[in-house]
Amino acid sequence: MATSQKRLALAIIDFLSKSLNDGTISSEDTESIEIAKSCIADTFRVDPSDQAALKDAIGDQSLLSIYGVYEKLKGKTSTAPMPGASSSKPTTNTSKPSGPTPTSPEAEEFKSQGNKAMQQKDYPQAIDLYTKAINLSPTNPIYLSNRAAAYSASHKHAEACADAELATSADPKYTKAWSRLGLARFVLGDAKGSMEAYQKGIEYEGNGGSEAMKKGYKTAKEKVEEEEKEGGDEEIERAASPRGAGGAGAGGGGMPDLAGLASMLGGGGGGGGMPDLGALMNNPMFASMAQNMMSNPDALQGLMNNPRLREMAQNFGGGGGGGGGGQGGGMPDISALMSDPSLREAAMNMMGGGGRGAGRGAPQ
């Protein structure tokens, strides 16, 4: 079983225990909660009394505070503040957090040490220190944004993007978080998402945004336009490609139009005169011809333009009777067709044998 699943199981058990202790759940339900905790522990094979495992699962937080972060990401936070969440509305046009977020002198000390590590370009140490601050205050946008900057400096852009998204959810008016989100998305190849992040930053900064934010937006926008242009050019190239468009005598992707050939020979499929293609392809001669047609669709066009073949197709296709050398439903006798010298030569050319078609390939 995955370690993350066991950690979640421990977090749920801890949440149930705390809900009993703080009165969220009535004491009348104690027995049911204890049974639920026991079932979870047995099913996921975890020990709720193992404090080290519990700390590894949720750190110094609770499942409720962690879920509060998720609600912020989804925009579903209620008016009542969640543990670890901001309890005041943000002010306008500021690059600082909009209101007090739960923090502590210890968390601030970790942040200050992290800032010093950043100045010394000791990014792993900075990440570790910011993480300790975040463990004490998981929705503080400054801590999250600072760690995003440390992740970006360490070329861990996916982690930087995740932290910046959390920071913008915790306090959309903290514009540094938008700037760091824009950078992370751009490096990850999401130019459009980057442009949107910088645009948000400009809106929250007000007065047209800072020069740094506008520069980031411009760079991302140019990349988006470049990608759209490249995509349009590729579509044009595919449309113009002979292999991408069906022409006369060719189906999609340059394949020969076998249905057109069948109609020329008087067949409409099945019992209407079309030969059994499965049986035809068991014939080595026709298998070779089909292979040659797939590699050279122009060969089929040449065959269909043969006046003798067209004349015979009209005779057989319109007559409806097999008489003489014909088969049922108007299908001509293949052996009769191949007795004609011009048609036999065309077939040999398609098979890659003797005649004028043999010299088209390069020497082996």
Side-chain angles (χ1 to χ4, degrees), residues 76-135:
K76 296 179 180 178
T77 306
S78 63
T79 54
M82 300 289 291
S86 175
S87 59
S88 62
K89 294 183 179 180
T91 57
T92 58
N93 298 337
T94 174
S95 62
K96 296 295 182 182
S98 56
T101 56
T103 185
S104 66
E106 185 181 5
E108 282 294 299
E109 179 60 26
F110 283 134
K111 184 202 77 170
S112 297
Q113 293 177 16
N115 291 348
K116 292 178 182 178
M118 283 290 288
Q119 292 172 0
Q120 297 169 0
K121 298 185 179 181
D122 187 353
Y123 304 125
Q125 179 68 6
I127 291 170
D128 181 63
L129 290 165
Y130 290 140
T131 299
K132 290 178 179 179
I134 290 169
N135 286 339

Side-chain angles (χ1 to χ4, degrees), residues 4 15-16 19 35 37 45 62 70 72 88 91 98 136 154 157 169 178 184 204 224 227 277 281 283 341 355:
S4 59
F15 167 71
L16 294 175
S19 296
I35 292 174
K37 288 164 55 180
R45 296 177 175 81
S62 67
Y70 167 77
K72 280 185 171 293
S88 62
T91 57
S98 56
L136 296 173
S154 302
H157 302 292
S169 297
W178 288 112
Y204 282 116
V224 170
E227 290 175 350
L277 292 180
M281 294 311 296
N283 185 304

Side-chain angles (χ1 to χ4, degrees), residues 53 70 91 94 120 149 163 182 224 226 229 256 305 330 338 340 364:
Y70 167 77
T91 57
T94 174
Q120 297 169 0
D163 271 358
V224 170
E226 177 184 337
K229 183 178 183 300
N305 288 334
M338 298 312 296
D340 184 283
Q364 298 296 317

Side-chain angles (χ1 to χ4, degrees), residues 178 185 190-201 217 220:
W178 288 112
R185 286 179 173 176
D190 182 9
K192 184 176 181 180
S194 173
M195 184 178 72
E196 292 170 352
Y198 283 120
Q199 179 63 46
K200 284 288 187 181
Y217 175 81

Side-chain angles (χ1 to χ4, degrees), residues 74-316:
K74 304 299 289 185
K76 296 179 180 178
T77 306
S78 63
T79 54
M82 300 289 291
S86 175
S87 59
S88 62
K89 294 183 179 180
T91 57
T92 58
N93 298 337
T94 174
S95 62
K96 296 295 182 182
S98 56
T101 56
T103 185
S104 66
E106 185 181 5
E108 282 294 299
E109 179 60 26
F110 283 134
K111 184 202 77 170
S112 297
Q113 293 177 16
N115 291 348
K116 292 178 182 178
M118 283 290 288
Q119 292 172 0
Q120 297 169 0
K121 298 185 179 181
D122 187 353
Y123 304 125
Q125 179 68 6
I127 291 170
D128 181 63
L129 290 165
Y130 290 140
T131 299
K132 290 178 179 179
I134 290 169
N135 286 339
L136 296 173
S137 182
T139 58
N140 187 297
I142 295 179
Y143 303 163
L144 290 165
S145 180
N146 285 5
R147 191 172 68 173
Y151 275 133
S152 288
S154 302
H155 305 289
K156 296 180 178 180
H157 302 292
E159 291 87 343
C161 186
D163 271 358
E165 286 178 346
L166 284 172
T168 58
S169 297
D171 185 357
K173 298 293 178 68
Y174 184 51
T175 56
K176 282 186 178 180
W178 288 112
S179 178
R180 285 162 184 168
L181 179 58
L183 173 62
R185 286 179 173 176
F186 186 85
V187 177
L188 289 171
D190 182 9
K192 184 176 181 180
S194 173
M195 184 178 72
E196 292 170 352
Y198 283 120
Q199 179 63 46
K200 284 288 187 181
I202 291 172
E203 291 173 2
Y204 282 116
E205 282 182 337
N207 300 321
S210 65
E211 289 302 317
M213 198 75 76
K214 289 190 291 186
K215 183 178 180 181
Y217 175 81
K218 180 182 178 182
T219 301
K221 183 179 180 181
E222 289 173 351
K223 183 64 175 177
V224 170
E225 292 172 348
E226 177 184 337
E227 290 175 350
E228 290 176 347
K229 183 178 183 300
E230 289 176 354
D233 290 344
E234 289 175 1
E235 289 296 327
I236 293 173
E237 289 177 4
R238 280 196 292 269
S241 172
R243 301 292 294 179
M255 275 295 293
D257 186 0
L258 296 179
L261 178 60
S263 65
M264 280 189 62
L265 294 174
M274 182 62 188
D276 182 351
L277 292 180
L280 281 178
M281 294 311 296
N282 286 329
N283 185 304
M285 179 182 71
F286 282 98
S288 176
M289 290 172 64
Q291 184 177 10
N292 189 282
M293 283 190 291
M294 284 189 288
S295 62
N296 183 16
D298 292 338
L300 178 60
Q301 180 64 26
L303 180 62
M304 295 176 68
N305 288 334
N306 187 293
R308 176 60 177 150
L309 180 60
R310 287 188 176 276
E311 179 184 351
M312 296 185 68
Q314 291 172 0
N315 293 336
F316 284 109

